[in-house]
Amino acid sequence: TVDKLGLAWSFDLDTERGVEATSIVVDGVMYTTSSWSIVHALDARTGKHLWTYDPKVAKEKSRHACCDVVNRGVAVWEGQVFVGALDGRLVALDAATGRVNWEVATVDPALPYTITGAPRVIDGRVYIGNGGAEYGVRGFLGAYDVKSGKLLWRFYTVPGNPELGFENAAMEMAAKTWNGKWWELGGGGGTVWDAMAYDPELDLLYIGVGNGTPWNQEIRSPGGGDNLFLSSIVALRPKTGEYVWHYQTTPGETWDYTATQHIILAELELDGKVRKVLMQAPKNGFFYVIDRTDGTLLSADNYIDLNWATHVDMKTGRPVEVPEARYRDEPFLVVPSYLGGHNWHPMSFNPKTGLVYIPVLEFAANYGQPENFLYRRAAMNTGTDGIAGSLPDSQAERDAYGAAVAGRLLAWDPVNQREAWHVEHKGTWNGGTLTTAGNLVFQGTADGKFVAFRADNGKRLWDFPAQTGIVAPAITYEIDGEQYVSVNAGWGGAFALVFGEFVQADSVPNVSRVLTFKLGADRQLPPVDWEPTVVFNPPKQAASAET
């Protein structure tokens, strides 16, 4: 019946920056966010505006937001809506009115932290991480009381200065995997800027940890080391923040290969045994299936073509690196780039097809050692010589560069670790995915379409012109026996800021809206008066793919 899907209502978000939120519907009300951490409450049946909360983040804070002033959504718990503001505040709102119940500063406002991720709530505790690793911060996750905002615990993801002692045994263990004086170069990084997942049966909270500060390990930790818990999945006890186990996807990472990408919990039959697994396709290009009870690696294979490693050694759980990829002596063109083979855009799992649907990026980047590195407080410090973010000079080279940037929807079989099917898109930086029991996969695209595919074979069944690139994932919900599908449209984010108009002019301008569909509806969007215009203005330094 998907061919009968039509626009039921839309709501203008009144912004011209990236929109990345996953909306949430509770008791007939949709809660969503736009850029600048602004929260909207809408009637989920009609789109009627109920209230808006603007945290009034100071616009100069955008200088610490490497990848646009985006926000990925709210959490809702017992009559309260929780949002992390870009400037590091955690705010609790009355769900009925939008009135502020409490707010707390989760970070030192003097430091270049940001928040773009959605909070999570478990049993009366609200959890929030942060971003800003390139600018010089030490990553952590905080847990707060939902009624008062009181800090209950904090788990740091990288060790501090050993001379000051360690917060716990996990930090003492992690410090043995570092060298040099990383704490003097911005704190080490490792920010928890997106992925979290909770298993109520095991009572484990899983967090994804980001990249190091600087990216370049030669500078950050001279002499090497795994640099725990960078680029790791860490399991914690949600009541106390106690460390339980970890798995590191990229030991000693040096390419901005975060493990903050979407985490899916599922049960899979592997070798005749049903296993409780955790699945992730992080930036580094490998798809991981991990036993979520203890962190044992069950399988790993590359979901894209890559050149920095040959494979993952199943005996050690470590990638087998190509030595030249660490760019110690010569620059190296690395695939995937700092944007990753998969970025923050959520992937989804369909138990009926057994497939995971991944928004894949194809994008290479040069990395090289800088002749001289000087740490700059509260500025972007990648530790590369700048060629990683440079664009070619000649028109012919730019045309070739743009043609090499690609994106696709990949259906991945996690049991057999192989591709089931894929669909090539016109460009990269396409939206997150939603899969349903009706054998469908929904995805927005960078060229302004909202599309439904068959989940078992990828056949394109339906699309809707959204008038702007879509990067957010869709949701589905049911009210009064009617099923709705909704997605937030609005082109922006890391790729769009640096490269968007250069290689994907038809993604712009930003026309930020909530678009909600149901069977039999036939509303139309007002026309947009614009023509694509390619503008080339090469940046001096890449934007990180970390927010």
Side-chain angles (χ1 to χ4, degrees):
T1 58
V2 72
D3 61 336
K4 299 180 178 63
L5 200 61
L7 183 66
W9 57 263
S10 65
F11 178 80
D12 287 354
L13 292 171
D14 193 27
T15 178
E16 295 182 356
R17 303 296 291 270
V19 177
E20 298 185 356
T22 304
S23 301
I24 187 169
V25 174
V26 179
D27 297 333
V29 178
M30 177 183 291
Y31 303 95
T32 196
T33 59
S34 60
S35 56
W36 294 108
S37 319
I38 297 171
V39 184
H40 302 280
L42 310 171
D43 186 311
R45 297 172 180 84
T46 65
K48 178 183 176 182
H49 177 252
L50 302 177
W51 55 258
T52 291
Y53 166 73
D54 184 350
K56 299 189 183 304
V57 174
K59 296 301 182 279
E60 57 265 28
K61 188 60 183 176
S62 63
R63 74 182 187 273
H64 296 146
C66 70
C67 309
D68 211 349
V69 291
V70 296
N71 187 277
R72 296 193 193 92
V74 302
V76 181
W77 176 270
E78 294 185 349
Q80 290 196 106
V81 177
F82 302 93
V83 63
L86 187 71
D87 57 14
R89 286 175 289 155
L90 178 63
V91 186
L93 306 172
D94 183 279
T97 65
R99 178 178 57 86
V100 175
N101 289 340
W102 54 259
E103 66 175 57
V104 294
T106 68
V107 301
D108 182 344
L111 298 176
Y113 285 99
T114 54
I115 294 178
T116 56
R120 309 294 200 276
V121 180
I122 304 168
D123 294 335
R125 296 174 297 274
V126 56
Y127 305 84
I128 193 68
N130 43 64
E134 284 77 21
Y135 296 87
V137 298
R138 182 188 180 196
F140 63 86
L141 178 76
Y144 299 81
D145 182 85
V146 294
K147 294 181 179 179
S148 65
K150 177 184 177 182
L151 176 65
L152 302 175
W153 55 258
R154 178 177 286 182
F155 178 83
Y156 284 98
T157 57
V158 298
N161 184 348
E163 294 181 359
L164 301 179
F166 301 106
E167 290 83 1
N168 49 49
M171 288 297 95
E172 185 175 6
M173 173 185 69
K176 296 175 182 177
T177 68
W178 289 73
N179 289 295
K181 295 184 177 181
W182 65 91
W183 61 91
E184 295 181 355
L185 297 176
T191 48
V192 184
W193 56 265
D194 199 23
M196 286 183 261
Y198 175 61
D199 184 329
E201 182 180 345
L202 298 175
D203 193 34
L204 289 177
L205 172 63
Y206 308 98
I207 63 172
V209 183
N211 58 281
T213 302
W215 294 353
N216 190 339
Q217 194 198 30
E218 290 285 296
I219 298 170
R220 180 183 72 240
S221 180
D226 285 353
N227 296 174
L228 293 174
F229 294 102
L230 297 182
S231 303
S232 299
I233 298 166
V234 182
L236 305 172
R237 292 295 178 196
K239 292 183 178 63
T240 62
E242 176 190 358
Y243 163 87
V244 179
W245 60 257
H246 78 276
Y247 175 79
Q248 189 172 41
T249 61
T250 313
E253 85 88 17
T254 195
W255 305 276
D256 189 20
Y257 281 172
T258 64
T260 51
Q261 284 56 56
H262 197 191
I263 293 171
I264 291 177
L265 308 185
E267 293 188 0
L268 297 180
E269 184 175 337
L270 302 171
D271 298 325
K273 181 181 178 181
V274 176
R275 306 289 293 262
K276 296 179 182 297
V277 305
L278 176 156
M279 298 184 286
Q280 190 187 53
K283 278 191 191 176
N284 72 12
F286 289 101
F287 188 98
Y288 295 88
V289 180
I290 297 168
D291 187 317
R292 69 177 186 265
T293 67
D294 58 10
T296 300
L297 178 65
L298 301 177
S299 66
D301 210 337
N302 54 300
Y303 62 89
I304 62 166
D305 292 333
L306 51 84
N307 70 351
W308 70 277
T310 59
H311 64 284
V312 174
D313 185 330
M314 290 303 299
K315 291 182 179 180
T316 65
R318 302 170 69 92
V320 179
E321 295 182 11
V322 174
E324 295 82 6
R326 286 197 170 258
Y327 56 95
R328 293 186 179 96
D329 302 316
E330 297 289 338
F332 194 83
L333 183 67
V334 180
V335 181
S337 73
Y338 43 83
L339 291 175
H342 170 222
N343 205 277
W344 64 267
H345 315 79
M347 62 187 191
S348 56
F349 173 62
N350 191 319
K352 288 191 172 183
T353 65
L355 301 177
V356 178
Y357 304 97
I358 311 171
V360 168
L361 312 175
E362 189 170 303
F363 186 80
N366 269 309
Y367 293 77
Q369 291 285 349
E371 291 186 9
N372 298 290
F373 174 77
L374 178 65
Y375 173 72
R376 297 171 299 158
R377 185 178 180 276
M380 185 174 281
N381 293 278
T382 67
T384 64
D385 68 357
I387 61 173
S390 63
L391 292 174
D393 295 323
S394 74
Q395 187 61 52
E397 289 175 323
R398 294 198 295 270
D399 291 343
Y401 187 89
V405 176
R408 65 183 62 92
L409 171 61
L410 173 65
W412 187 259
D413 178 346
V415 173
N416 297 299
Q417 284 284 17
R418 65 189 182 198
E419 176 183 320
W421 54 261
H422 76 270
V423 174
E424 292 290 336
H425 290 317
K426 186 176 181 181
T428 197
W429 208 246
N430 300 286
T433 68
L434 162 73
T435 184
T436 73
N439 195 32
L440 296 174
V441 179
F442 289 92
Q443 184 185 29
T445 63
D447 63 345
K449 301 292 193 303
F450 184 49
V451 188
F453 303 91
R454 274 185 62 123
D456 56 358
N457 62 21
K459 180 181 178 182
R460 189 178 184 123
L461 300 175
W462 170 91
D463 64 60
F464 181 86
Q467 300 179 340
T468 187
I470 298 175
V471 292
I475 65 165
T476 186
Y477 59 95
E478 182 182 321
I479 300 178
D480 301 330
E482 284 194 296
Q483 183 181 5
Y484 297 79
V485 177
S486 184
V487 68
N488 290 352
W491 180 241
F495 178 85
L497 279 178
V498 181
F499 304 103
E501 293 187 39
F502 165 49
V503 296
Q504 284 176 206
D506 52 2
S507 303
V508 292
N510 176 295
V511 186
S512 295
R513 292 190 180 106
V514 180
L515 303 174
T516 301
F517 305 84
K518 69 177 183 178
L519 295 179
D522 60 358
R523 290 181 179 271
Q524 302 293 317
L525 295 175
V528 176
D529 183 20
W530 67 276
E531 292 292 335
T533 303
V534 175
V535 177
F536 178 67
N537 184 19
K540 294 181 179 179
Q541 175 65 50
S544 164
E546 189 240 342
T547 52

